[in-house]
Amino acid sequence: MLDHGSAPPAEEREGQASRPAPAGGFGARLMRCKPVERLVAEGGQGEGGSLRRSLGMWQLTMISIGATLGTGIFVVLGEAVPEAGPAVTVSFIIAGLTALFSALSYAELAGTIPVSGSSYSYAYATMGELIAWICGWCLILEYGVSVAAVAVGWGEYLNELLAGTIGVTIPDALAAPPGDGGIFNLPALLVVLLSMAFLLGGARESARANTIMVAVKIGALLLFCAVAFTGIRAGNYTPFMPLGMAGVSAAGATLFFSYIGFDAASTAGEEAKDPKRDLPRAIMLSLLIVTALYVLVAAVAVGAMPWKGFSGSEAALAGIMEDVTGQSFWAVLLAAGAVIAIASVVLTVLYGQTRILFAMSRDGLVPKVFSKVDARTGTPRANTVIVSLFCGVLAAAVPLGQLADATSIGTLFAFALVNIAVIVLRRRRPEMPRTFRVPLSPLLPVIGFGFCVWMMGSLDAITWTVFAVWMAVGLVVYFGYGMRRSRLATAEK
């Protein structure tokens, strides 16, 4: 719902932007909010230079699709179809609707507060510094660990592609980390370093490479649909819901995590040409495209192979291609598409991680090195190198296991906060111009918050333990470093 409301007078905006946070006791310091006008005024500014506004709506949309459409659709059917049967298409729709509630809130806030910090900045403007730090710490978990986890998956698909083309694979010792039967996961490190090279070239160049990769992986999925369509058998759709609505719901909860990444465009707020207009559109359009592709691929897949045949299959789409055609060529082609698809996820998620740390650094909550901008390329080079090396080594040398599952809980926590932030900002600043409004607010944000809490509750105890430890470490870092060095804190002195 577009809204071009009137802005407050320039004098009032400038006063609000420059006014320091009020001093107070310990509790007040934790709850100090950063004025929206100040957040927006500082947009793009870093140490020694500024980010460049070079991204249009289509590039922003491709960033979100690039971060979302990857390992999920290529491997998730093997997990979800046995839970729901042919009704997995309904499960995808349910998961997409669940993501939609949070996407609406992201769209409103991205148009109102178009900065790089995503939900971290939204929380800083509405719920205070401590909550913002917790949200940012969750995003570091979500983006950083997921880059490593996705990079590991890329190495597995690369081996499949090599086996199908030249008959040679990377030895296990160099394709898996210690604890998983190897010494060092070289492919995982390689894809992170390649993504780093693109990011160091500049946002426009990275977006161009991502757009090409997104086009290739969408083409690979459409090719799958075209080939597998010839193998559809009507009998494979019956019974449509063999495990009842409970199975459909369980599969929907599993599939929700295939939608994680639609918020990536919000991390590009300071490099978008017209962020207030384009960010909301990019977020909603990317979710629509991804949902349509998921449902189409799922419908064709369950029609081409009996639903019980999906059990235990991690490469269901490639298997279907080979079964339908009787040739391995198509499966190899799909594996090539998967390699490109997953590489684009690494690129866009790594981009989002660097921009969130950029925003946190500018606020003084993490070291200044993360907000230094190279004057020639307009990119945070040191930030990009540090994050890339950390994620690359994590993927290459550490068995992720349950740590990777913790990305889900960090994501859901951030989504929940965004839904709350919409309600808080509507109440505190109703006069602010909003280029997009969540319809039926506060009802839909409350529903979005409820869905996030429900899905967090469905995660296992080990994931919650990892999350609790990560939060404890984050609080130690905040109280030991960020709280004292916060730019809002120094403005009070």
Side-chain angles (χ1 to χ4, degrees):
M1 185 178 298
L2 296 177
D3 177 30
H4 301 281
S6 59
E11 297 82 1
E12 180 183 342
R13 294 199 308 271
E14 292 172 2
Q16 291 169 330
S18 60
R19 192 179 301 131
F26 182 75
R29 290 168 62 193
L30 298 181
M31 298 300 293
R32 55 194 169 203
C33 294
K34 188 171 183 179
V36 173
E37 290 79 10
R38 181 171 172 179
L39 277 166
V40 176
E42 292 178 353
Q45 299 177 14
E47 295 286 331
S50 300
L51 301 178
R52 295 175 182 172
R53 295 194 178 276
S54 59
L55 305 178
M57 192 197 76
W58 185 245
Q59 293 165 310
L60 294 170
T61 303
M62 292 299 103
I63 287 175
S64 281
I65 294 177
T68 309
L69 192 64
T71 49
I73 191 59
F74 285 100
V75 303
V76 78
L77 288 179
E79 301 174 16
V81 174
E83 294 179 311
V88 70
T89 51
V90 179
S91 299
F92 268 115
I93 294 173
I94 291 174
L97 288 174
T98 303
L100 176 63
F101 290 116
S102 294
L104 290 169
S105 294
Y106 265 100
E108 175 168 328
L109 291 174
T112 308
I113 313 174
V115 293
S116 290
S118 186
S119 50
Y120 154 77
S121 294
Y122 309 153
Y124 210 166
T126 56
M127 289 173 279
E129 186 172 282
L130 178 60
I131 300 299
W133 168 265
I134 292 173
C135 185
W137 195 247
C138 285
L139 291 174
I140 292 173
L141 178 66
E142 171 195 348
Y143 281 82
V145 178
S146 63
V147 165
V150 171
V152 171
W154 185 83
E156 295 172 357
Y157 275 100
L158 178 63
N159 253 344
E160 289 186 21
L161 179 61
L162 292 174
T165 52
I166 61 177
V168 176
T169 60
I170 300 172
D172 290 342
L174 295 178
D180 284 349
I183 299 174
F184 194 76
N185 193 328
L186 183 60
L189 176 62
L190 178 62
V191 71
V192 175
L193 294 181
L194 287 173
S195 298
M196 179 186 76
F198 278 116
L199 292 175
L200 290 176
R204 177 186 295 176
E205 291 73 14
S206 302
R208 185 177 296 132
N210 174 66
T211 298
I212 295 171
M213 288 189 283
V214 168
V216 169
K217 65 182 174 182
I218 290 177
L221 290 173
L222 293 177
L223 175 65
F224 163 80
C225 291
V227 173
F229 184 81
T230 63
I232 288 180
R233 302 293 180 266
N236 289 340
Y237 291 111
T238 57
F240 183 69
M241 202 177 293
L243 301 176
M245 194 60 201
V248 173
S249 299
T254 300
L255 292 170
F256 173 79
F257 304 113
S258 300
Y259 288 89
I260 291 174
F262 69 80
D263 58 318
S266 66
T267 66
E270 295 173 23
E271 290 161 287
K273 295 177 182 177
D274 190 354
K276 291 192 173 185
R277 184 197 68 177
D278 292 342
L279 288 177
R281 296 180 180 182
I283 290 171
M284 299 308 298
L285 182 58
S286 65
L287 185 60
L288 177 64
I289 293 173
V290 167
T291 301
L293 276 171
Y294 282 168
V295 172
L296 176 62
V297 171
V300 172
V302 295
M305 186 166 77
W307 69 274
K308 291 183 179 180
F310 284 83
S311 182
S313 174
E314 294 186 353
L317 300 188
I320 292 171
M321 293 274 275
E322 189 166 354
D323 290 343
V324 169
T325 62
Q327 301 175 3
S328 61
F329 167 77
W330 297 104
V332 172
L333 194 60
L334 192 68
V339 168
I340 295 173
I342 297 172
S344 74
V345 176
V346 174
L347 175 65
T348 50
V349 174
L350 193 64
Y351 169 84
Q353 173 71 96
T354 61
R355 270 43 179 185
I356 289 167
L357 281 170
F358 176 85
M360 296 177 73
S361 174
R362 186 172 55 206
D363 292 333
L365 301 184
V366 297
K368 289 184 179 180
V369 65
F370 291 100
S371 57
K372 288 185 177 179
V373 177
D374 182 77
R376 184 177 62 84
T377 62
T379 60
R381 292 181 65 87
N383 179 345
T384 302
V385 171
I386 292 170
V387 172
S388 299
L389 292 179
F390 174 80
C391 292
V393 171
L394 185 67
V398 180
L400 297 178
Q402 290 293 334
L403 185 60
D405 294 337
T407 62
S408 299
I409 197 169
T411 302
L412 287 167
F413 189 86
F415 284 6
L417 290 180
V418 167
N419 284 294
I420 296 174
V422 165
I423 299 172
V424 172
L425 194 61
R426 284 275 193 103
R427 184 174 295 273
R428 290 184 180 174
R429 301 292 303 276
E431 83 290 349
M432 286 193 66
R434 290 167 169 83
T435 55
F436 179 89
R437 284 179 176 267
V438 179
L440 302 178
S441 181
L443 176 61
L444 293 190
V446 168
I447 293 174
F449 174 81
F451 269 117
C452 292
V453 172
W454 170 64
M455 289 192 174
M456 289 174 69
S458 69
L459 298 172
D460 58 40
I462 296 178
T463 300
W464 275 97
T465 301
V466 171
F467 182 66
V469 172
W470 179 255
M471 285 294 100
V473 172
L475 290 175
V476 170
V477 174
Y478 173 71
F479 287 113
Y481 181 92
M483 184 178 182
R484 293 182 294 106
R485 296 176 179 267
S486 162
R487 290 185 63 186
L488 284 186
T490 57
E492 294 173 2
K493 296 177 181 179

